[in-house]
């Protein structure tokens, strides 16, 4: 999606673009970029391995793993929007961003950030059906129905994001073009406009609360129902098994929401005065969950872990066969 069309109202030229000025005076920015690069590489490897394992095993191609694969795609996309563009900006000081590129990044960054929240809610829905209606799971939660829900979520989030970003792109930017952030975030950009931004601020706040608290409320609601259902189970072993299936998802929820809430509290209470340090904390808190999600899911889900071990085992066997053939004097 490109926002480089002529949104200019005559008071500014969108061709001038913006300048990202985060970490300008921060001496540790190279260590941060290195850490983010490592996070990005692990994010790609972890989520791609998860996707490959699901695609290669027909037994994993069910509604639950459709939701897991959806989260993996969102994780890769989220960090791909944020991290790669930071290298030329903060390593090679190429911090100019065109008008269209800035608002395109703004859209996709917030879009995939919102998708993280809704994807976790989708996994909560899957666990709710699996635990509360186990005998009817295959008829209630079919692959087609899961695909339709995923498509509906993507369409809804597009509509949620395109309006505030389009409004911000239409504002006149006739004063400063220095965005005090490491990327084109909604707030730091529209705050530069030389016009009334009260509506943009209200809309941005309402949208943020909706995409964070809406899915979180749904997740809490589903787990209240799950706990009530599990406590009715007579067998202690079955109770533990039911809670164990939810434990991985709860870890992902805490991993996503706790850093976001912590950053929100730190920002609003101004407990961190250094803007660059706060930006660094916020950036890491946003990019860390996409890296850890596939690792946690792979380690805590027995079925998936076994498939990954088998896949890696096959690759090692194949490498050993190649080495043996290369060293065999008969083949020389």
């Amino acid at each position: 999606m490109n926002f480089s069309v002529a949104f200019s109202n005559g008071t500014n030229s969108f061709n001038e673009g913006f300048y990202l000025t985060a970490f300008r005076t921060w001496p540790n920015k190279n260590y941060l970029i290195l850490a983010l690069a490592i996070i990005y590489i692990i994010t790609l490897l972890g989520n791609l391995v998860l996707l490959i394992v699901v695609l290669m095993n027909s037994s994993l191609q069910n509604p639950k793993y459709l939701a897991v694969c959806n989260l993996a795609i969102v994780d890769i996309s989220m960090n791909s929007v944020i991290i790669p563009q930071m290298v030329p900006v903060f390593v090679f000081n190429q911090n100019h961003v065109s008008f269209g590129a800035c608002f395109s990044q703004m859209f996709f960054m917030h879009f995939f950030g919102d998708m993280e929240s809704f994807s976790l809610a989708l996994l909560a829905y899957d666990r709710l059906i699996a635990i509360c209606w186990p005998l009817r799971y295959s008829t209630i939660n079919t692959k087609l129905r899961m695909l339709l829900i995923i498509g509906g979520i993507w369409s809804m989030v597009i509509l949620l994001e395109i309006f505030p970003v389009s409004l911000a792109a239409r504002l006149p930017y006739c004063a400063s073009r220095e965005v005090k952030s490491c990327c084109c975030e909604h707030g730091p950009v529209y705050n530069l406009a030389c016009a009334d931004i009260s509506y943009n601020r209200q809309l941005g706040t309402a949208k943020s609360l909706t995409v964070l608290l809406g899915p979180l409320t749904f997740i809490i609601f589903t787990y209240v129902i799950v706990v009530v259902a599990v406590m009715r189970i007579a067998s202690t072993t079955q109770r533990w098994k039911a809670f164990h299936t939810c434990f991985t998802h709860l870890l992902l929820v805490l991993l996503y929401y706790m850093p976001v809430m912590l950053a929100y509290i730190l920002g609003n209470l101004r407990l961190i005065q250094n803007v660059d340090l706060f930006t660094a904390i916020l950036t890491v808190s946003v990019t860390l969950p996409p890296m850890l999600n596939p690792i946690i899911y792979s380690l805590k889900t027995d079925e998936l872990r076994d498939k990954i071990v088998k896949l890696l085992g096959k690759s090692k066997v194949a490498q050993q066969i190649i080495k043996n053939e290369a060293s065999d004097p008969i083949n020389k």
Side-chain angles (χ1 to χ4, degrees):
M1 186 168 294
N2 197 319
F3 291 88
S4 61
V5 294
F7 284 142
S8 173
N9 61 6
T11 58
N12 72 303
S13 171
F14 64 80
N15 289 324
E16 294 177 16
F18 299 93
Y19 293 89
L20 303 177
T21 61
F23 315 130
R24 178 180 286 179
T25 59
W26 203 41
N28 299 317
K29 69 176 181 180
N30 289 334
Y31 294 108
L32 174 64
I33 299 300
L34 178 61
L36 290 174
I38 294 171
I39 288 173
Y40 184 58
I41 292 169
I42 298 175
T43 300
L44 289 178
L45 290 175
N47 285 290
L48 286 174
V49 167
L50 191 152
L51 290 170
I52 290 169
V53 168
V54 173
L55 288 173
M56 290 179 63
N57 293 274
S58 57
S59 62
L60 297 180
Q61 294 170 14
N62 53 48
K64 173 187 173 180
Y65 283 102
L66 282 177
V68 172
C69 287
N70 173 69
L71 180 62
I73 292 169
V74 171
D75 285 340
I76 292 172
S77 303
M78 180 66 183
N79 280 3
S80 294
V81 171
I82 296 175
I83 297 175
Q85 63 86 31
M86 292 179 67
V87 175
V89 171
F90 299 110
V91 175
F92 303 108
N93 295 320
Q94 298 175 5
N95 64 335
H96 178 264
V97 183
S98 68
F99 189 93
C102 184
F103 284 97
S104 295
Q105 186 196 39
M106 181 190 296
F107 173 82
F108 286 111
M109 180 177 62
H110 289 288
F111 171 76
F112 288 116
D114 297 348
M115 280 299 303
E116 283 274 343
S117 190
F118 282 101
S119 296
L120 292 172
L122 182 62
L123 286 169
Y125 157 78
D126 178 80
R127 292 299 83 203
L128 173 69
I129 303 300
I131 291 174
C132 295
W133 297 280
L135 299 178
R136 297 175 58 198
Y137 177 83
S138 58
T139 55
I140 296 174
N141 201 21
T142 62
K143 286 195 286 186
L144 177 60
R145 190 165 294 172
M146 182 61 79
L147 286 172
L148 289 174
I149 293 172
I150 291 171
I153 290 173
W154 281 68
S155 301
M156 179 186 66
V157 177
I158 287 173
L159 294 175
L160 280 172
E161 282 303 332
I162 198 167
F163 189 50
V165 174
S166 296
L167 282 180
R170 292 179 182 273
L171 290 170
Y173 296 91
C174 50
S176 173
R177 295 300 183 93
E178 293 188 357
V179 180
K180 295 180 180 179
S181 180
C182 60
C183 46
C184 289
E185 293 180 78
H186 186 232
V189 172
Y190 75 66
N191 278 318
L192 299 177
C194 45
D196 183 13
I197 58 171
S198 56
Y199 182 68
N200 298 77
R201 183 177 290 110
Q202 293 168 5
L203 182 64
T205 302
K207 192 273 301 179
S208 297
L209 291 175
T210 300
V211 299
L212 284 174
L213 298 183
L216 181 60
T217 302
F218 176 79
I219 291 169
I220 294 171
F221 175 73
T222 58
Y223 273 104
V224 169
I225 297 175
V226 165
V227 169
V228 172
V230 169
M231 294 308 293
R232 291 176 179 173
I233 300 174
S235 171
T236 306
T237 305
Q238 288 181 324
R239 284 184 188 178
W240 168 247
K241 186 177 179 181
F243 280 125
H244 180 70
T245 60
C246 298
F247 180 68
T248 303
H249 178 252
L250 284 172
L251 275 179
L252 302 186
V253 171
L254 290 173
L255 184 66
Y256 175 74
Y257 280 101
M258 290 300 290
V260 171
M261 290 180 177
L262 180 62
Y264 182 81
I265 292 170
L266 291 175
N268 281 272
L269 297 181
R270 301 191 182 280
L271 298 176
I272 298 179
Q273 299 298 323
N274 189 316
V275 177
D276 287 337
L277 179 59
F278 177 72
T279 303
I281 293 172
L282 187 61
T283 304
V284 172
S285 69
V286 169
T287 56
L288 205 56
M291 180 194 78
L292 295 177
N293 285 345
I295 297 173
I296 292 173
Y297 223 101
S298 299
L299 291 176
K300 292 295 181 180
T301 308
D302 295 338
E303 186 181 18
L304 186 59
R305 184 177 64 245
D306 292 342
K307 299 294 184 183
I308 292 173
V309 169
K310 286 181 181 179
L311 177 66
L312 296 177
K314 285 180 181 179
S315 64
K316 288 181 179 179
V317 170
Q319 288 176 6
Q320 188 62 43
I321 291 171
I322 293 171
K323 286 181 180 179
N324 291 339
E325 288 181 349
S327 60
D328 191 347
I330 297 175
N331 294 329
K332 291 183 179 179

